Amino acid sequence: MQAVSSIPNRDLRDEIKAYWSLRAETFDTQPGHEIFSDEERAAWHALLRKHLGQGEGRAALDLACGTAVVSHLLDDLGFKVTGLDWAEPMLERARAKAKARGREIRFLLGDAERTMESDDTYDVITNRHLVWTLVDPLACFREWHRVLKAGGKVLIVDGDFVNTSMLTRMMKRFTAWASRIGLAKDALHGAPNSEMAATHSSILSRVHFSNGAHAHAVADLLREAGFSKVTIDQDMGAIHRAQRKNFSFFKGLERATQHRYAICAEK
């Protein structure tokens, strides 16, 4: 059997797709994915308005949309939203959720790195927790630049989950300890079992940002891809405070101490 570390990039991409297809079943049960309070929803709305403004019918492409959590936030603000994901099980849940809520969101099966969308189509591109998974982020950012209209903006929400602080590592150990004695159920990156958590760690070790997706490294690649007015926003406190109420105690503290950020860039 071929060693995991020597799997070609095309196979790694297939593995990432398969992983998130399996995660679809429990995705909306997990804090940090779905939104469980009006307080958190308001905090997300504030972040989106801060960088993108009100929708006013502008076209938004939500990449790696999953079950469409961010797509719904954009729809709340008046954007005309297209959600794109390459995991059909995610899209099945996204479509069902939109239908149940009476939302007119278009969903496409596709690859965030090769969207197949036309040039100069969208006013806004969003993605959350996608960039850390990318095999070739520079090519991907160039693709996003291509499909944006002039003056359009991309908003990335992500984090460096590799280069953690001493405090974050301490909180992670406390979360693992709490899990062992039955006081926490969220020690495995949101994965439903240890096998899936191991797959998550294996993927993280082989993607482009295997040494960590630090905000400045992502911003530099955005500039190289042709974007301008690149802004790094690390003021995620309101979102983290709202999410903390649905995490175990130490997991909430671990999340709040991680290097998480939003990056907005303009074409």
Side-chain angles (χ1 to χ4, degrees), residues 101-158:
R101 295 180 181 178
R103 304 299 186 97
E104 295 185 5
I105 300 173
R106 181 177 71 143
F107 293 105
L108 300 177
L109 181 66
D111 185 349
E113 297 189 45
R114 305 181 188 93
T115 67
M116 306 300 290
E117 294 291 270
S118 300
D119 294 357
D120 309 312
T121 300
Y122 293 96
D123 299 285
V124 163
I125 290 176
T126 58
N127 56 83
R128 182 180 66 163
H129 303 163
L130 165 66
V131 166
W132 75 265
T133 72
L134 296 176
V135 172
D136 187 350
L138 179 57
C140 189
F141 295 168
R142 286 173 173 155
E143 167 73 355
W144 301 353
H145 190 275
R146 180 186 66 79
V147 302
L148 274 175
K149 298 176 183 177
K153 293 181 178 180
V154 59
L155 182 65
I156 293 167
V157 178
D158 224 288

Side-chain angles (χ1 to χ4, degrees), residues 54-66:
Q54 285 294 131
E56 300 177 337
R58 289 181 293 150
L61 177 62
D62 184 26
L63 293 172
C65 67

Side-chain angles (χ1 to χ4, degrees), residues 174-186 248:
F174 279 132
T175 303
W177 168 79
S179 178
R180 286 194 296 272
I181 64 174
L183 296 179
K185 298 180 179 180
D186 50 10
S248 63

Side-chain angles (χ1 to χ4, degrees), residues 26-45:
T26 58
F27 191 86
D28 279 343
T29 68
Q30 297 159 356
H33 290 167
E34 182 55 281
I35 294 171
F36 294 98
S37 71
D38 290 339
E39 179 186 0
E40 183 183 353
R41 185 170 292 103
W44 279 108
H45 285 157

Side-chain angles (χ1 to χ4, degrees), residues 9-244:
N9 283 342
R10 63 179 182 276
D11 293 325
L12 174 56
R13 285 166 48 80
D14 289 342
E15 187 175 343
I16 294 168
K17 180 178 180 179
Y19 172 80
W20 288 109
S21 294
L22 289 172
R23 286 289 299 274
E25 184 176 355
T26 58
F27 191 86
D28 279 343
T29 68
Q30 297 159 356
H33 290 167
E34 182 55 281
I35 294 171
F36 294 98
S37 71
D38 290 339
E39 179 186 0
E40 183 183 353
R41 185 170 292 103
W44 279 108
H45 285 157
L47 180 72
L48 294 172
R49 283 195 194 96
K50 178 179 180 180
H51 294 288
L52 305 176
Q54 285 294 131
E56 300 177 337
R58 289 181 293 150
L61 177 62
D62 184 26
L63 293 172
C65 67
T67 62
V69 177
V70 174
S71 298
H72 281 258
L73 293 170
L74 292 165
D75 186 71
D76 291 342
L77 298 182
F79 286 94
K80 183 179 180 181
V81 185
T82 296
L84 184 146
D85 202 285
W86 65 355
E88 183 59 43
M90 288 286 193
L91 288 179
E92 289 173 2
R93 287 160 176 79
R95 294 185 183 107
K97 186 190 298 186
K99 183 178 180 179
R101 295 180 181 178
R103 304 299 186 97
E104 295 185 5
I105 300 173
R106 181 177 71 143
F107 293 105
L108 300 177
L109 181 66
D111 185 349
E113 297 189 45
R114 305 181 188 93
T115 67
M116 306 300 290
E117 294 291 270
S118 300
D119 294 357
D120 309 312
T121 300
Y122 293 96
D123 299 285
V124 163
I125 290 176
T126 58
N127 56 83
R128 182 180 66 163
H129 303 163
L130 165 66
V131 166
W132 75 265
T133 72
L134 296 176
V135 172
D136 187 350
L138 179 57
C140 189
F141 295 168
R142 286 173 173 155
E143 167 73 355
W144 301 353
H145 190 275
R146 180 186 66 79
V147 302
L148 274 175
K149 298 176 183 177
K153 293 181 178 180
V154 59
L155 182 65
I156 293 167
V157 178
D158 224 288
D160 181 348
F161 310 121
V162 177
N163 299 298
T164 54
S165 68
M166 182 180 295
L167 180 58
T168 301
R169 293 193 295 274
M170 184 183 300
M171 292 302 106
K172 188 177 181 68
R173 287 194 292 270
F174 279 132
T175 303
W177 168 79
S179 178
R180 286 194 296 272
I181 64 174
L183 296 179
K185 298 180 179 180
D186 50 10
L188 300 176
H189 308 292
N193 55 58
S194 57
E195 182 178 354
M196 289 289 285
T199 300
H200 179 281
S201 296
S202 174
I203 289 170
L204 178 56
S205 73
R206 289 176 285 142
V207 292
H208 176 90
F209 289 114
S210 59
N211 292 321
H214 194 281
H216 290 289
V218 176
D220 287 345
L221 286 176
L222 285 166
R223 294 186 186 98
E224 188 175 348
F227 285 95
S228 61
K229 299 180 183 178
V230 180
T231 303
I232 297 172
D233 184 357
Q234 293 182 246
D235 184 12
M236 307 287 286
I239 293 171
H240 293 154
R241 285 191 296 273
Q243 290 176 339
R244 195 178 302 167

